[in-house]
Amino acid sequence: DKEKDKVRIGFSQAMTNDDWRRSMNDAMQLQASLDSNIDLIIRDANYDVEKQIKQIEGLIADSLDVLIVSPIQSKPITPVVQNALNAGIPVLVVDRKTEGQNYTAYLGADNIEVGRNAAKEIISSNTRDSIRLIEIRGLAGSSPAEERGMGFQQIINQFSKARIVATIEGNWEKESIQDQLIILLKKGIKVDYIFAHNDRMAIGAWEVAHDLGLEKEIDFIGVDGLPGPNGGIQAVKNGVLKATVLYPTGGDEAIKLALKILDKESISKNNILSTTIINEVNADIMNNQFEKINEQQAEIEDQLKAIKEQEVLYSSQNNLLKISIAL
Ligand code: FRU
């Protein structure tokens, strides 16, 4: 039976409420639809760790061939990933990791490098004698927050002119940091630069500064660099962000890698997507590149639709033929 030959890829997504994760899912779906043998099942944990564990357990029980996971936080998702491995299901972790490297492979940018890149951009674009910084962190216990923080501090600590004067614990969403930032800025602490672990929080920080009339005094840098009207690239072009560090979603690569794992091809444990600084120098180029990719994706989608329509037409003609032969 044809259905049984299909490859079943399950993806446990941390949540789908933001553009970054939506574009990751879209890229996966597009890549999967290029191969009619792939059945891609996406489960959205909606940022609820318990739900993510249950969904992964459900996928394991549902004769899965490979599991892709973006864990909300590392520690609580580690045992259930181990269960998948014990059940003989290879696991590809994407963007966020579990603890102890007990997975088949990781795919994503190097988040330590992301943090270092942000720090280097701040240092190299400043001629001031002293740079007072605020670090706005992603959700504690999620690996990109820990790694971006580590890389950022490594570089900042090498320069005596740069100093982190305050740290705000966020959860990747701007609502989690705005009240805390208002309190800090109203206290009158002097700040030159704010590094937020993603663009949503960086733009949220700019909004707070703007409300207090301080947005010209402070520079802002984020991470993600998404295209589109609400993305980080546009924010750089608008002068809201001084820069952003590109953090590719790798949705299409995830599907390709999952298939390699299934074909028993040898792959690296760490599959690192490249990252780069986006600032006023290259924001336009980056934008044009992404627009081209989006156009190409839309064309592929149209072609896939046309092929599907042809298939439906062909099978109905075939049925008519069978009927007329039978007559
Ligand atoms: C999207 C996101 C990104 C961030 C990534 C880290 O949900 O918050 O903004 O770069 O997750 O895992």
Side-chain angles (χ1 to χ4, degrees):
D1 154 312
K2 207 179 166 216
E3 281 296 305
K4 270 195 189 146
D5 295 337
K6 278 204 166 190
V7 164
R8 287 169 63 75
I9 301 178
F11 175 38
S12 166
Q13 173 63 293
M15 61 151 166
T16 328
N17 304 351
D18 61 79
D19 288 346
W20 192 87
R21 287 195 192 268
R22 269 193 289 270
S23 96
M24 183 183 208
N25 289 6
D26 289 350
M28 279 196 189
Q29 265 154 348
L30 181 60
Q31 189 63 38
S33 64
L34 295 177
D35 185 337
S36 56
N37 263 332
I38 301 179
D39 228 349
L40 174 64
I41 309 133
I42 299 185
R43 295 276 181 273
D44 176 1
N46 205 14
Y47 239 50
D48 175 341
V49 170
E50 286 307 314
K51 191 168 179 184
Q52 186 162 40
I53 294 170
K54 290 228 172 67
Q55 286 179 336
I56 296 175
E57 279 166 355
L59 287 168
I60 295 173
D62 198 12
S63 63
L64 207 64
D65 294 304
V66 57
L67 173 67
I68 305 176
V69 186
S70 189
I72 300 168
Q73 283 166 310
S74 303
K75 199 174 181 161
I77 304 301
T78 301
V80 72
V81 161
Q82 189 61 51
N83 292 347
L85 293 172
N86 293 346
I89 302 168
V91 182
L92 173 63
V93 295
V94 292
D95 151 56
R96 302 187 188 179
K97 301 171 185 167
T98 49
E99 280 192 338
Q101 289 200 294
N102 276 332
Y103 39 75
T104 310
Y106 165 74
L107 170 74
D110 176 344
N111 278 300
I112 297 179
E113 193 191 344
V114 166
R116 286 184 188 144
N117 279 347
K120 286 178 192 166
E121 174 71 9
I122 292 174
I123 300 290
S124 65
S125 68
N126 265 283
T127 49
R128 294 189 192 94
D129 300 336
S130 95
I131 312 167
R132 296 168 56 90
L133 299 157
I134 292 180
E135 180 184 356
I136 298 180
R137 299 176 57 90
L139 179 69
S142 68
S143 61
E146 308 302 335
E147 293 176 352
R148 287 174 197 178
M150 199 189 294
F152 182 69
Q153 288 165 27
Q154 268 175 7
I155 300 294
I156 293 301
N157 290 341
Q158 290 171 16
F159 293 86
S160 54
K161 68 169 179 176
R163 195 157 68 87
I164 301 172
V165 294
T167 302
I168 296 177
E169 293 285 340
N171 72 359
W172 299 113
E173 306 310 322
K174 70 175 182 187
E175 293 77 14
S176 67
I177 61 103
Q178 287 185 312
D179 289 347
Q180 298 177 70
L181 184 60
I182 291 173
I183 294 172
L184 278 177
L185 294 180
K186 278 197 173 159
K187 268 190 198 159
I189 79 160
K190 205 183 126 18
V191 188
D192 302 301
Y193 223 123
I194 295 182
F195 166 49
H197 286 188
N198 70 5
D199 288 337
R200 297 198 298 287
M201 296 190 294
I203 293 168
W206 178 89
E207 288 169 2
V208 166
H210 177 75
D211 286 347
L212 299 173
L214 292 170
E215 82 277 11
K216 297 243 157 42
E217 257 105 282
I218 308 171
D219 289 329
F220 301 84
I221 181 168
V223 178
D224 282 344
L226 278 177
N230 304 320
I233 300 181
Q234 190 57 46
V236 171
K237 283 165 57 115
N238 293 346
V240 166
L241 300 184
K242 192 86 178 152
T244 174
V245 187
L246 177 68
Y247 189 59
T249 69
D252 46 351
E253 283 91 343
I255 298 297
K256 289 185 197 161
L257 209 55
L259 293 177
K260 280 191 184 161
I261 293 173
L262 285 173
D263 286 344
K264 305 257 181 310
E265 281 180 42
S266 76
I267 54 152
S268 334
K269 175 107 188 194
N270 286 304
N271 300 273
I272 302 305
L273 300 170
S274 51
T275 167
T276 189
I277 281 284
I278 302 172
N279 56 24
E280 59 177 0
V281 179
N282 63 352
D284 280 322
I285 298 175
M286 296 297 287
N287 215 33
N288 293 343
Q289 292 299 325
F290 278 119
E291 266 169 19
K292 266 192 208 135
I293 293 172
N294 282 344
E295 276 167 27
Q296 284 166 351
Q297 284 188 340
E299 273 169 30
I300 294 172
E301 273 160 21
D302 284 348
Q303 284 166 0
L304 284 172
K305 229 169 98 198
I307 292 171
K308 284 240 168 67
E309 281 162 11
Q310 285 297 323
E311 278 172 359
V312 171
L313 195 66
Y314 175 79
S315 80
S316 65
Q317 279 171 345
N318 224 13
N319 285 341
L320 280 179
L321 193 66
K322 275 183 208 152
I323 292 169
S324 65
I325 290 173
L327 286 175

